[in-house]
Coordinates of all heavy atoms in Angstrom, one line a residue:
M1 N 33.8 136.5 108.0 CA 35.2 136.2 108.5 C 35.5 134.8 108.3 O 34.7 133.9 108.5 CB 35.2 136.5 110.1 CG 36.5 137.1 110.5 SD 36.3 137.5 112.3 CE 37.0 136.0 113.0
P2 N 36.7 134.5 107.6 CA 37.0 133.1 107.3 C 37.3 132.3 108.6 O 37.8 132.8 109.6 CB 38.3 133.3 106.5 CG 38.9 134.6 106.9 CD 37.7 135.5 107.3
K3 N 36.8 131.0 108.5 CA 37.0 130.2 109.6 C 38.4 129.7 109.8 O 39.1 129.4 108.8 CB 36.1 128.9 109.4 CG 35.3 128.6 110.7 CD 34.3 127.5 110.3 CE 34.6 126.2 111.0 NZ 33.8 125.1 110.7
K4 N 38.9 129.7 111.0 CA 40.3 129.4 111.2 C 40.5 127.8 111.2 O 39.7 127.2 111.9 CB 40.8 129.9 112.5 CG 42.3 129.9 112.6 CD 42.7 130.8 113.8 CE 44.2 130.9 114.0 NZ 45.1 130.0 113.4
I5 N 41.3 127.3 110.3 CA 41.4 125.9 110.2 C 42.6 125.4 111.1 O 43.7 126.0 110.9 CB 41.6 125.4 108.7 CG1 40.4 125.9 107.9 CG2 41.9 123.9 108.6 CD1 40.6 125.7 106.4
P6 N 42.4 124.5 111.9 CA 43.5 124.1 112.8 C 44.6 123.3 112.0 O 44.3 122.7 111.0 CB 42.8 123.2 113.8 CG 41.4 123.0 113.5 CD 41.2 123.8 112.3
I7 N 45.8 123.4 112.4 CA 46.9 122.7 111.8 C 47.4 121.6 112.7 O 47.5 121.8 113.8 CB 48.1 123.8 111.5 CG1 47.6 125.0 110.7 CG2 49.3 123.1 110.8 CD1 47.2 124.7 109.3
R8 N 47.6 120.5 112.0 CA 48.2 119.4 112.8 C 49.3 118.8 112.0 O 49.5 118.9 110.8 CB 47.1 118.3 112.9 CG 45.9 118.7 113.8 CD 46.3 118.8 115.2 NE 45.1 119.1 116.1 CZ 44.8 120.4 116.4 NH1 45.4 121.4 115.8 NH2 43.7 120.6 117.1
Q9 N 50.1 118.0 112.8 CA 51.3 117.5 112.1 C 51.2 115.9 111.8 O 50.7 115.2 112.7 CB 52.5 117.6 113.1 CG 53.8 117.2 112.5 CD 55.0 117.3 113.5 OE1 54.8 117.1 114.7 NE2 56.2 117.6 112.9
C10 N 51.6 115.6 110.6 CA 51.5 114.2 110.2 C 52.6 113.4 111.0 O 53.8 113.8 110.9 CB 51.7 114.0 108.7 SG 52.0 112.4 108.1
V11 N 52.2 112.2 111.5 CA 53.3 111.4 112.3 C 54.3 110.8 111.4 O 55.4 110.5 111.8 CB 52.6 110.4 113.2 CG1 51.7 111.0 114.2 CG2 51.9 109.3 112.3
A12 N 53.9 110.7 110.1 CA 54.9 110.0 109.2 C 55.8 110.9 108.5 O 57.1 110.7 108.6 CB 54.1 109.2 108.1
C13 N 55.4 112.0 107.9 CA 56.2 112.8 107.1 C 56.6 114.2 107.9 O 57.4 114.9 107.5 CB 55.6 113.3 105.8 SG 54.2 114.3 105.8
R14 N 55.9 114.3 109.1 CA 56.2 115.5 110.0 C 55.8 116.8 109.3 O 56.2 117.8 109.9 CB 57.7 115.5 110.4 CG 58.1 114.3 111.1 CD 57.8 114.4 112.6 NE 57.8 113.1 113.3 CZ 57.4 113.0 114.5 NH1 56.9 113.9 115.1 NH2 57.5 111.8 115.1
E15 N 55.1 116.8 108.2 CA 54.6 118.0 107.7 C 53.4 118.5 108.5 O 52.6 117.8 108.9 CB 54.2 117.9 106.2 CG 55.4 118.0 105.3 CD 55.0 117.8 103.8 OE1 53.9 118.5 103.4 OE2 55.6 117.1 103.1
H16 N 53.3 119.8 108.5 CA 52.1 120.4 109.2 C 51.1 120.7 108.1 O 51.4 121.4 107.1 CB 52.5 121.7 109.9 CG 53.3 121.4 111.1 ND1 54.6 121.2 111.1 CD2 52.9 121.3 112.4 CE1 55.0 121.0 112.3 NE2 54.0 121.0 113.2
K17 N 49.9 120.2 108.3 CA 48.8 120.4 107.3 C 47.5 120.8 108.0 O 47.3 120.6 109.2 CB 48.6 119.2 106.5 CG 49.8 118.7 105.7 CD 49.5 117.7 104.7 CE 50.7 117.4 103.8 NZ 50.5 116.5 102.8
E18 N 46.6 121.4 107.2 CA 45.3 121.7 107.7 C 44.6 120.4 108.1 O 44.6 119.4 107.4 CB 44.4 122.4 106.6 CG 45.0 123.8 106.3 CD 44.2 124.5 105.2 OE1 43.4 123.9 104.6 OE2 44.5 125.7 105.0
K19 N 44.0 120.4 109.3 CA 43.3 119.3 109.9 C 42.5 118.5 108.9 O 42.6 117.2 108.9 CB 42.5 119.7 111.1 CG 42.5 118.6 112.1 CD 41.7 119.2 113.4 CE 41.1 118.0 114.1 NZ 40.1 118.5 115.1
P20 N 41.6 119.1 108.1 CA 40.8 118.2 107.2 C 41.6 117.4 106.2 O 41.0 116.5 105.6 CB 39.9 119.3 106.5 CG 40.0 120.5 107.4 CD 41.3 120.5 108.0
L21 N 42.8 117.7 106.0 CA 43.7 117.0 105.0 C 44.3 115.8 105.7 O 44.9 114.9 105.0 CB 44.8 117.8 104.5 CG 44.3 119.1 103.7 CD1 45.5 119.9 103.3 CD2 43.5 118.7 102.5
L22 N 44.1 115.6 107.0 CA 44.7 114.6 107.7 C 43.7 113.6 108.2 O 42.5 113.9 108.4 CB 45.6 115.1 108.9 CG 46.7 116.1 108.4 CD1 47.0 116.9 109.7 CD2 47.8 115.4 107.9
A23 N 44.1 112.3 108.4 CA 43.2 111.3 109.0 C 43.6 111.3 110.5 O 44.8 111.4 110.9 CB 43.4 110.0 108.4
R24 N 42.7 111.1 111.4 CA 42.9 111.1 112.8 C 42.7 109.7 113.4 O 41.8 109.0 113.1 CB 41.9 112.0 113.5 CG 42.1 112.2 115.0 CD 41.2 113.3 115.6 NE 41.5 113.5 117.0 CZ 40.6 113.3 118.0 NH1 39.5 112.7 117.8 NH2 41.0 113.5 119.2
I25 N 43.7 109.3 114.2 CA 43.6 108.0 114.9 C 43.6 108.4 116.4 O 44.4 109.3 116.9 CB 44.9 107.1 114.6 CG1 44.9 106.8 113.1 CG2 44.8 105.9 115.4 CD1 45.6 107.8 112.3
V26 N 42.7 107.7 117.1 CA 42.5 108.1 118.5 C 42.8 106.9 119.4 O 42.6 105.8 119.1 CB 41.1 108.5 118.7 CG1 40.7 108.7 120.2 CG2 40.8 109.8 118.0
R27 N 43.4 107.2 120.6 CA 43.5 106.3 121.6 C 42.3 106.6 122.6 O 42.2 107.6 123.2 CB 44.8 106.4 122.5 CG 45.0 105.3 123.5 CD 46.2 105.5 124.3 NE 46.1 106.6 125.2 CZ 47.2 107.1 125.9 NH1 48.4 106.8 125.6 NH2 47.0 108.1 126.8
T28 N 41.4 105.7 122.6 CA 40.1 105.9 123.3 C 40.4 105.8 124.8 O 41.4 105.3 125.2 CB 39.0 104.8 122.9 OG1 39.5 103.5 123.4 CG2 38.8 104.8 121.4
P29 N 39.5 106.3 125.6 CA 39.7 106.2 127.1 C 39.8 104.7 127.5 O 40.3 104.4 128.6 CB 38.4 106.8 127.7 CG 38.0 107.8 126.6 CD 38.3 107.1 125.3
E30 N 39.3 103.7 126.7 CA 39.4 102.4 127.0 C 40.8 101.8 126.6 O 41.1 100.6 126.9 CB 38.3 101.6 126.3 CG 36.9 101.8 126.8 CD 36.3 103.1 126.2 OE1 36.7 103.5 125.1 OE2 35.6 103.8 127.0
G31 N 41.6 102.7 126.0 CA 43.0 102.2 125.7 C 43.1 101.5 124.4 O 43.9 100.6 124.2
K32 N 42.2 101.8 123.4 CA 42.2 101.1 122.2 C 42.5 102.2 121.1 O 41.9 103.3 121.2 CB 40.9 100.4 121.9 CG 40.8 99.5 120.8 CD 39.5 98.8 120.8 CE 39.1 98.0 119.5 NZ 40.1 98.0 118.4
A33 N 43.3 101.8 120.1 CA 43.5 102.7 119.0 C 42.4 102.5 118.0 O 42.2 101.4 117.5 CB 44.9 102.5 118.4
V34 N 41.8 103.5 117.5 CA 40.7 103.4 116.5 C 40.9 104.5 115.4 O 41.4 105.7 115.7 CB 39.3 103.5 117.0 CG1 39.0 102.3 117.9 CG2 39.0 104.8 117.8
Y35 N 40.6 104.2 114.2 CA 40.5 105.3 113.2 C 39.3 106.1 113.4 O 38.2 105.6 113.5 CB 40.5 104.7 111.8 CG 40.1 105.6 110.7 CD1 40.8 106.9 110.6 CD2 39.3 105.3 109.7 CE1 40.4 107.7 109.6 CE2 39.0 106.1 108.7 CZ 39.6 107.4 108.6 OH 39.3 108.3 107.6
D36 N 39.5 107.4 113.5 CA 38.4 108.4 113.9 C 38.0 109.1 112.6 O 38.4 110.1 112.2 CB 38.9 109.3 114.9 CG 37.8 110.3 115.3 OD1 36.7 110.1 115.0 OD2 38.1 111.3 116.0
A37 N 37.0 108.4 111.9 CA 36.7 108.9 110.6 C 36.0 110.3 110.6 O 36.2 111.1 109.7 CB 35.7 107.9 109.9
R38 N 35.3 110.6 111.7 CA 34.6 111.9 111.8 C 35.4 112.9 112.5 O 35.0 114.1 112.6 CB 33.3 111.7 112.4 CG 32.4 110.7 111.6 CD 31.0 110.6 112.2 NE 30.3 111.8 112.1 CZ 29.5 112.1 111.1 NH1 29.3 111.2 110.2 NH2 28.8 113.2 111.1
G39 N 36.5 112.5 113.1 CA 37.4 113.5 113.9 C 36.8 114.0 115.2 O 37.1 115.1 115.6
K40 N 35.9 113.2 115.7 CA 35.1 113.7 116.9 C 35.3 112.9 118.1 O 34.7 113.2 119.2 CB 33.6 113.7 116.6 CG 33.3 114.6 115.3 CD 33.1 116.0 115.7 CE 32.6 116.8 114.5 NZ 33.3 118.2 114.4
L41 N 36.0 111.7 118.0 CA 36.1 110.8 119.2 C 36.9 111.4 120.3 O 37.9 112.2 120.0 CB 36.7 109.5 118.7 CG 35.8 108.6 117.8 CD1 36.6 107.4 117.4 CD2 34.5 108.3 118.5
P42 N 36.5 111.2 121.5 CA 37.3 111.7 122.7 C 38.6 110.8 122.8 O 38.6 109.7 122.4 CB 36.4 111.5 123.8 CG 35.6 110.3 123.5 CD 35.3 110.4 122.0
G43 N 39.6 111.4 123.3 CA 40.9 110.7 123.6 C 42.1 111.3 122.9 O 41.9 112.4 122.3
K44 N 43.2 110.8 123.1 CA 44.4 111.3 122.6 C 44.5 111.0 121.1 O 44.3 109.9 120.7 CB 45.6 110.7 123.3 CG 47.0 111.1 122.9 CD 48.0 110.4 123.8 CE 49.4 110.6 123.2 NZ 50.0 111.9 123.3
G45 N 44.7 112.0 120.3 CA 44.7 111.8 118.8 C 46.1 112.0 118.2 O 47.0 112.6 118.7
A46 N 46.3 111.2 117.0 CA 47.4 111.3 116.2 C 46.9 111.6 114.8 O 45.9 111.1 114.5 CB 48.3 110.2 116.3
Y47 N 47.7 112.2 114.0 CA 47.2 112.6 112.6 C 48.2 112.0 111.6 O 49.5 112.0 111.8 CB 47.1 114.1 112.5 CG 46.1 114.6 113.4 CD1 46.3 114.9 114.7 CD2 44.8 114.8 113.0 CE1 45.3 115.4 115.6 CE2 43.8 115.3 113.8 CZ 44.1 115.6 115.1 OH 43.1 116.0 115.9
I48 N 47.7 111.7 110.5 CA 48.4 111.2 109.3 C 47.9 111.8 108.0 O 46.6 111.9 107.9 CB 48.6 109.7 109.4 CG1 49.5 109.2 108.2 CG2 47.2 109.1 109.3 CD1 49.8 107.7 108.4
C49 N 48.7 112.1 107.0 CA 48.2 112.5 105.7 C 47.3 111.5 105.2 O 47.5 110.3 105.3 CB 49.4 112.7 104.8 SG 50.6 114.0 105.2
R50 N 46.3 111.9 104.3 CA 45.5 110.9 103.7 C 46.3 110.5 102.4 O 45.9 110.8 101.3 CB 44.2 111.6 103.3 CG 43.4 112.0 104.5 CD 42.0 112.5 104.1 NE 41.2 113.0 105.2 CZ 40.5 112.2 105.9 NH1 40.5 110.9 105.8 NH2 39.8 112.7 106.9
S51 N 47.3 109.7 102.7 CA 48.2 109.3 101.6 C 48.8 108.0 101.9 O 49.2 107.7 103.0 CB 49.3 110.3 101.4 OG 50.6 109.7 101.4
A52 N 48.8 107.1 100.9 CA 49.3 105.7 101.1 C 50.7 105.7 101.4 O 51.2 104.9 102.1 CB 49.0 104.9 99.8
V53 N 51.5 106.7 100.9 CA 52.9 106.8 101.1 C 53.1 107.1 102.6 O 54.0 106.4 103.2 CB 53.5 108.0 100.3 CG1 55.0 108.2 100.7 CG2 53.4 107.7 98.8
C54 N 52.4 108.0 103.2 CA 52.6 108.3 104.6 C 52.1 107.1 105.5 O 52.7 106.8 106.5 CB 51.8 109.6 105.0 SG 52.8 111.0 104.6
L55 N 51.0 106.5 105.0 CA 50.5 105.3 105.8 C 51.6 104.2 105.8 O 51.9 103.6 106.8 CB 49.2 104.8 105.2 CG 48.6 103.6 105.8 CD1 48.3 103.9 107.3 CD2 47.4 103.1 105.2
D56 N 52.2 103.9 104.6 CA 53.2 102.9 104.6 C 54.4 103.3 105.5 O 54.9 102.4 106.2 CB 53.7 102.6 103.2 CG 52.7 101.9 102.3 OD1 51.9 101.2 102.9 OD2 52.8 102.0 101.2
K57 N 54.8 104.5 105.4 CA 55.8 105.0 106.3 C 55.5 104.9 107.8 O 56.3 104.4 108.6 CB 56.1 106.5 105.9 CG 57.5 107.0 106.2 CD 57.6 108.5 105.9 CE 57.8 108.8 104.4 NZ 58.1 110.2 104.2
A58 N 54.3 105.2 108.1 CA 53.9 105.1 109.5 C 53.8 103.7 110.0 O 54.2 103.4 111.2 CB 52.5 105.7 109.7
I59 N 53.4 102.7 109.1 CA 53.4 101.3 109.5 C 54.8 100.9 109.7 O 55.1 100.2 110.8 CB 52.7 100.5 108.4 CG1 51.3 100.8 108.3 CG2 53.0 98.9 108.7 CD1 50.5 100.2 107.1
K60 N 55.8 101.2 108.8 CA 57.1 100.7 108.9 C 57.8 101.3 110.2 O 58.5 100.7 110.9 CB 57.9 101.2 107.7 CG 57.7 100.3 106.5 CD 58.9 100.3 105.5 CE 58.6 99.5 104.3 NZ 57.9 100.4 103.3
S61 N 57.6 102.6 110.4 CA 58.3 103.3 111.5 C 57.6 103.1 112.8 O 58.1 103.5 113.8 CB 58.5 104.8 111.2 OG 57.2 105.4 111.1
R62 N 56.3 102.6 112.8 CA 55.5 102.5 114.0 C 55.2 103.9 114.6 O 55.1 104.0 115.8 CB 56.1 101.6 115.0 CG 56.4 100.1 114.4 CD 57.1 99.2 115.4 NE 56.5 99.2 116.8 CZ 55.5 98.5 117.1 NH1 54.8 97.8 116.3 NH2 55.0 98.6 118.4
A63 N 55.1 104.9 113.7 CA 55.0 106.3 114.2 C 53.7 106.4 115.0 O 53.7 107.2 116.0 CB 55.1 107.3 113.1
L64 N 52.7 105.8 114.6 CA 51.4 105.9 115.2 C 51.4 105.3 116.6 O 50.9 105.8 117.5 CB 50.2 105.3 114.4 CG 49.8 106.2 113.2 CD1 48.8 105.3 112.3 CD2 49.1 107.5 113.6
S65 N 52.0 104.1 116.7 CA 52.2 103.4 118.0 C 52.9 104.3 118.9 O 52.5 104.5 120.1 CB 52.9 102.1 117.8 OG 52.2 101.2 117.2
R66 N 54.0 104.9 118.4 CA 54.8 105.8 119.3 C 54.1 107.1 119.7 O 54.2 107.5 120.8 CB 56.1 106.1 118.6 CG 57.1 104.9 118.8 CD 58.5 105.3 118.4 NE 58.7 105.2 116.9 CZ 58.9 106.3 116.1 NH1 59.2 107.4 116.6 NH2 59.0 106.1 114.8
A67 N 53.3 107.6 118.8 CA 52.6 108.9 119.1 C 51.5 108.6 120.1 O 51.3 109.5 121.0 CB 52.0 109.5 117.8
L68 N 50.8 107.5 120.0 CA 49.7 107.2 120.9 C 50.2 106.3 122.1 O 49.3 106.1 123.0 CB 48.6 106.5 120.1 CG 47.9 107.4 119.1 CD1 46.8 106.6 118.3 CD2 47.3 108.7 119.6
E69 N 51.4 105.9 122.1 CA 51.9 105.0 123.1 C 51.0 103.8 123.3 O 50.6 103.4 124.5 CB 52.0 105.8 124.5 CG 53.0 107.0 124.2 CD 52.9 108.0 125.3 OE1 51.8 108.1 126.0 OE2 53.8 108.7 125.6
I70 N 50.6 103.2 122.3 CA 49.7 102.0 122.3 C 49.9 101.2 121.0 O 50.3 101.8 120.0 CB 48.3 102.5 122.4 CG1 47.4 101.3 122.8 CG2 47.7 103.1 121.2 CD1 45.9 101.7 123.1
E71 N 49.7 99.9 121.1 CA 49.7 99.0 119.9 C 48.7 99.5 118.9 O 47.5 99.7 119.3 CB 49.6 97.6 120.3 CG 50.1 96.6 119.3 CD 51.6 96.7 119.0 OE1 52.4 97.1 119.9 OE2 52.0 96.5 117.8
I72 N 49.0 99.5 117.6 CA 48.0 99.8 116.6 C 47.7 98.5 115.9 O 48.6 97.8 115.4 CB 48.6 100.8 115.5 CG1 49.1 102.0 116.1 CG2 47.5 101.1 114.5 CD1 48.2 102.9 116.9
T73 N 46.5 98.1 116.0 CA 46.1 96.7 115.4 C 45.9 96.9 113.9 O 45.7 97.9 113.4 CB 44.8 96.3 116.1 OG1 43.8 97.3 116.0 CG2 45.0 95.9 117.6
P74 N 46.1 95.7 113.2 CA 46.1 95.8 111.8 C 44.8 96.3 111.2 O 44.7 96.9 110.1 CB 46.3 94.3 111.3 CG 47.0 93.7 112.5 CD 46.5 94.4 113.7
D75 N 43.7 96.1 112.0 CA 42.4 96.6 111.4 C 42.4 98.1 111.4 O 41.7 98.7 110.5 CB 41.2 96.1 112.3 CG 41.3 96.5 113.7 OD1 42.2 96.1 114.4 OD2 40.4 97.2 114.2
V76 N 43.1 98.8 112.2 CA 43.2 100.2 112.1 C 43.9 100.7 110.8 O 43.4 101.6 110.1 CB 43.9 100.8 113.4 CG1 44.1 102.3 113.2 CG2 43.2 100.5 114.6
Y77 N 45.0 100.0 110.5 CA 45.7 100.3 109.3 C 44.8 100.0 108.1 O 44.8 100.7 107.1 CB 47.0 99.5 109.2 CG 48.0 100.0 110.2 CD1 48.7 99.1 111.0 CD2 48.4 101.4 110.3 CE1 49.6 99.5 111.9 CE2 49.4 101.8 111.1 CZ 50.0 100.9 112.0 OH 50.9 101.3 112.9
E78 N 44.1 98.9 108.2 CA 43.2 98.5 107.0 C 42.1 99.6 106.8 O 41.8 100.0 105.7 CB 42.6 97.2 107.3 CG 43.5 96.0 106.8 CD 43.1 94.7 107.5 OE1 41.9 94.5 107.7 OE2 44.0 93.9 107.7
A79 N 41.5 100.1 107.9 CA 40.5 101.1 107.9 C 41.1 102.4 107.2 O 40.5 103.0 106.4 CB 40.0 101.4 109.2
L80 N 42.3 102.7 107.6 CA 42.9 103.9 107.1 C 43.2 103.7 105.6 O 43.0 104.7 104.8 CB 44.3 104.2 107.8 CG 44.2 104.8 109.2 CD1 45.5 104.7 109.9 CD2 43.8 106.3 109.0
R81 N 43.8 102.6 105.2 CA 44.1 102.3 103.8 C 42.8 102.3 103.0 O 42.9 103.0 101.9 CB 44.8 101.0 103.7 CG 45.4 100.8 102.3 CD 46.2 99.5 102.2 NE 47.3 99.4 103.1 CZ 48.5 100.0 102.9 NH1 48.7 100.7 101.8 NH2 49.5 99.9 103.7
A82 N 41.8 101.8 103.4 CA 40.5 101.8 102.7 C 40.0 103.2 102.4 O 39.6 103.6 101.3 CB 39.5 101.0 103.4
R83 N 40.2 104.0 103.5 CA 39.7 105.4 103.4 C 40.6 106.2 102.4 O 40.1 107.0 101.6 CB 39.8 106.0 104.8 CG 39.2 107.4 104.9 CD 37.8 107.4 104.5 NE 37.2 108.8 104.5 CZ 36.6 109.3 105.5 NH1 36.4 108.6 106.6 NH2 36.1 110.5 105.4
M84 N 41.9 105.9 102.4 CA 42.9 106.6 101.5 C 42.7 106.2 100.1 O 42.8 107.0 99.2 CB 44.3 106.4 102.0 CG 44.6 107.2 103.3 SD 46.0 106.6 104.1 CE 46.0 107.6 105.6
E85 N 42.3 104.9 99.9 CA 42.1 104.5 98.5 C 40.9 105.1 97.9 O 40.7 105.1 96.7 CB 42.2 102.9 98.5 CG 43.6 102.5 98.5 CD 43.7 101.0 98.8 OE1 42.7 100.3 98.9 OE2 44.9 100.5 98.9
E86 N 39.9 105.5 98.8 CA 38.7 106.2 98.3 C 39.1 107.5 97.7 O 38.3 108.2 97.1 CB 37.7 106.4 99.4 CG 36.9 105.1 99.7 CD 36.1 105.3 101.0 OE1 35.9 106.5 101.5 OE2 35.8 104.3 101.6
G87 N 40.3 108.0 98.0 CA 40.7 109.3 97.6 C 40.0 110.4 98.3 O 39.9 111.5 97.9
D88 N 39.5 110.2 99.5 CA 38.7 111.1 100.3 C 39.8 112.1 100.9 O 40.8 111.8 101.5 CB 38.0 110.4 101.4 CG 37.1 111.3 102.1 OD1 36.9 112.5 101.7 OD2 36.5 110.9 103.1
A89 N 39.5 113.4 100.7 CA 40.4 114.4 101.4 C 39.6 115.6 101.9 O 38.4 115.7 101.5 CB 41.4 114.9 100.3
Ligands
ZN101 ZN1 52.4 112.8 105.9

């Protein structure tokens, strides 16, 4: 039986994609936004395409801040960008 892949929405382009195609950012219980590279951290999550276009869009529109209702620090965006430039999907 094929495994069911969850679908999540990118905060930047609003497209719905399979979860493994998206990067997850989490608001931890301590109230900090972090890039969740393994997709396993507890807390409220937001998703974004693994694409520099969507990342730039999210930075400009502050979509991640709005989705998580918390300030996103530059190191989170840097971690995302580094991951996206690796071409990891
Ligand atoms: Zn997107």
Side-chain angles (χ1 to χ4, degrees):
M1 221 173 92
K3 229 173 111 182
K4 199 169 181 336
I5 299 171
I7 303 294
R8 294 290 183 272
Q9 187 181 30
C10 169
V11 296
C13 68
R14 300 277 164 190
E15 273 182 48
H16 290 83
K17 299 196 174 181
E18 292 177 354
K19 206 176 156 197
L21 298 176
L22 301 162
R24 183 171 188 250
I25 300 88
V26 170
R27 186 180 77 196
T28 66
E30 293 76 36
K32 192 177 166 2
V34 295
Y35 168 44
D36 181 11
R38 302 181 67 91
K40 302 275 185 220
L41 292 177
K44 180 180 167 68
Y47 295 83
I48 182 168
C49 299
R50 295 184 185 279
S51 129
V53 174
C54 281
L55 180 58
D56 287 339
K57 205 182 279 186
I59 293 171
K60 281 206 189 86
S61 66
R62 300 174 52 79
L64 284 171
S65 288
R66 281 189 280 119
L68 296 179
E69 299 163 337
I70 193 176
E71 196 63 36
I72 310 295
T73 51
D75 60 298
V76 174
Y77 290 129
E78 274 161 34
L80 282 166
R81 192 176 297 279
R83 187 63 184 262
M84 285 162 187
E85 280 166 4
E86 282 168 21
D88 189 6

